[in-house]
Amino acid sequence: MPTPVIIDCDPGHDDVFALWLAAGTPEIELLGVTTVGGNGSLKHTTNNAQVALTVAGIQGVPVAAGADKPLRRELTPATWIHGDNALGGPVLPTPTVPLDERSAMELISDILESAAEPVTLIPTGPLTNIAMLLEQRSELRDKIKEIIWMGGSTGRGNVGAYPEFNAWVDPEAADIVFKSGLSLTMVGLNISHQALITEEVIESIGAIGNETSSFGVELLRFFCSTYDAVEGMPEGPLHDPITVAIAIDRAVATIQRSHVDVETKGEFTSGATAVDLHNMLKNESNADVAITLDVPKFWQLIRDAIANLK
């Protein structure tokens, strides 16, 4: 039986590939897509989610808009990486996938309430929507199988010295999720920087030869160009789809059980994830932390999924 999932995202180039991986893989049943302000404003991330599904010919998956800003902070979109509309590069088509009238909170709640089995939540942006769900609909906790989140880092960050962007945008939300006691897997920069978008990767995706792959190549080339300009990485890292890959086949990554604290107050470290890999604090573990990636298997999952799409 396929694993039922909801993707909560802020598309973003890499979020698009996470959506495609989920929709194009038989082992995953994509029940819904919700959006949050992060890589771009909520207006842009919501439109981009609709575009991603439209381009790939994905129908029947509801899309709902969620929080437009963090719980207690103002939103700073990642325009320096993703462009002004959060999906720089290709000309974006007018989406034919409709926007659900429900809010993200309402859509997730409705799906959880009606699900025959617990559902996996896959957030690939700031954790604002998920934290709000846990605080406002706590009775639904048992309907959540696990949370697999792209965010954080076991080492240095990509916004300042220590914080990773998704955690930095809304550290208070991340703190709520890590303290929730739910089954949680953290997919941080330490593993996502192993999923580098090489020229070989781009060519292999382009060789698939469908509309999705062509659009994807344009996304990847823009993404690599901004990573090169901003971080000196001409082969950018495709962060977000690793979450879905782990939901498909947990063996795609090595995992270490650990305790993670989220810094919410530090002048230079707000949003940093303090991952106690060596158990120095002797605190109870609260997360599975993805450490290393089976890179060939990961890219094969991406290619196979895109080949199954429009």
Side-chain angles (χ1 to χ4, degrees):
M1 293 290 291
T3 298
V5 307
I6 299 169
I7 295 184
D8 182 69
C9 56
D10 62 338
H13 298 67
D14 45 340
D15 305 79
V16 170
F17 281 84
L19 291 170
W20 290 348
L21 180 55
T25 302
E27 290 82 5
I28 296 292
E29 182 184 8
L30 183 57
L31 299 179
V33 174
T34 54
T35 61
V36 64
N39 286 326
S41 67
L42 182 66
K43 173 184 175 181
H44 287 310
T45 60
T46 303
N47 181 74
N48 295 347
Q50 294 172 273
V51 166
L53 300 186
T54 296
V55 167
I58 301 162
Q59 299 179 345
V61 177
V63 179
D68 62 355
K69 63 179 182 179
L71 295 179
R72 292 192 271 281
R73 304 178 185 231
E74 294 303 313
L75 177 66
T76 302
T79 54
W80 59 93
I81 290 291
H82 294 281
D84 290 340
N85 68 353
L87 209 59
V91 175
L92 303 185
T94 300
T96 58
V97 171
L99 182 63
D100 200 285
E101 293 182 356
R102 290 169 289 182
S103 68
M105 171 84 70
E106 290 168 337
L107 177 60
I108 296 173
S109 298
D110 287 349
I111 291 173
L112 293 179
E113 286 177 329
S114 63
E117 61 181 290
V119 175
T120 296
L121 303 184
I122 303 182
T124 59
L127 285 166
T128 314
N129 289 336
I130 307 303
M132 292 172 62
L133 176 77
L134 296 180
E135 289 205 316
Q136 298 178 29
R137 297 298 307 272
S138 59
E139 75 278 10
L140 295 175
R141 289 169 50 96
D142 289 345
K143 301 302 292 283
I144 300 170
K145 177 184 177 183
E146 61 176 331
I147 299 170
I148 308 175
W149 174 55
M150 192 281 128
S153 176
T154 62
R156 292 300 183 105
N158 60 359
V159 187
Y162 291 101
E164 177 275 333
F165 178 80
N166 287 340
W168 172 80
V169 168
D170 199 343
E172 286 78 18
D175 186 49
I176 289 169
V177 173
F178 274 91
K179 289 177 177 176
S180 69
L182 293 173
S183 178
L184 172 64
T185 300
M186 183 185 104
V187 178
L189 296 179
N190 53 286
I191 187 171
S192 67
H193 276 230
Q194 298 167 43
L196 297 179
I197 306 164
T198 65
E199 184 61 30
E200 181 182 3
V201 163
I202 294 175
E203 290 179 357
S204 69
I205 289 174
I208 295 169
N210 59 17
E211 292 181 31
T212 306
S213 68
S214 297
F215 191 83
V217 165
E218 292 188 73
L219 292 178
L220 295 176
R221 292 208 180 279
F222 180 91
F223 196 53
C224 288
S225 73
T226 56
Y227 256 95
D228 190 18
V230 174
E231 297 194 26
M233 295 179 67
E235 297 175 347
L238 199 68
H239 313 277
D240 293 341
I242 298 173
T243 56
V244 181
I246 288 173
I248 296 168
D249 182 359
R250 205 161 181 83
V252 77
T254 61
I255 305 288
Q256 182 171 334
R257 190 81 182 142
S258 186
H259 181 84
V260 181
D261 290 305
V262 181
E263 178 60 70
T264 60
K265 298 176 181 178
E267 179 180 357
F268 304 108
T269 58
S270 182
T273 44
V275 184
D276 190 10
L277 290 175
H278 303 294
N279 196 27
M280 301 298 291
L281 300 176
K282 308 303 180 186
N283 288 328
E284 184 178 355
S285 296
N286 62 348
D288 288 338
V289 179
I291 303 295
T292 60
L293 180 68
D294 185 332
V295 176
K297 178 181 286 187
F298 169 73
W299 286 117
Q300 191 59 53
L301 288 171
I302 296 285
R303 287 189 293 267
D304 289 346
I306 291 175
N308 287 334
L309 299 172
K310 177 181 173 184

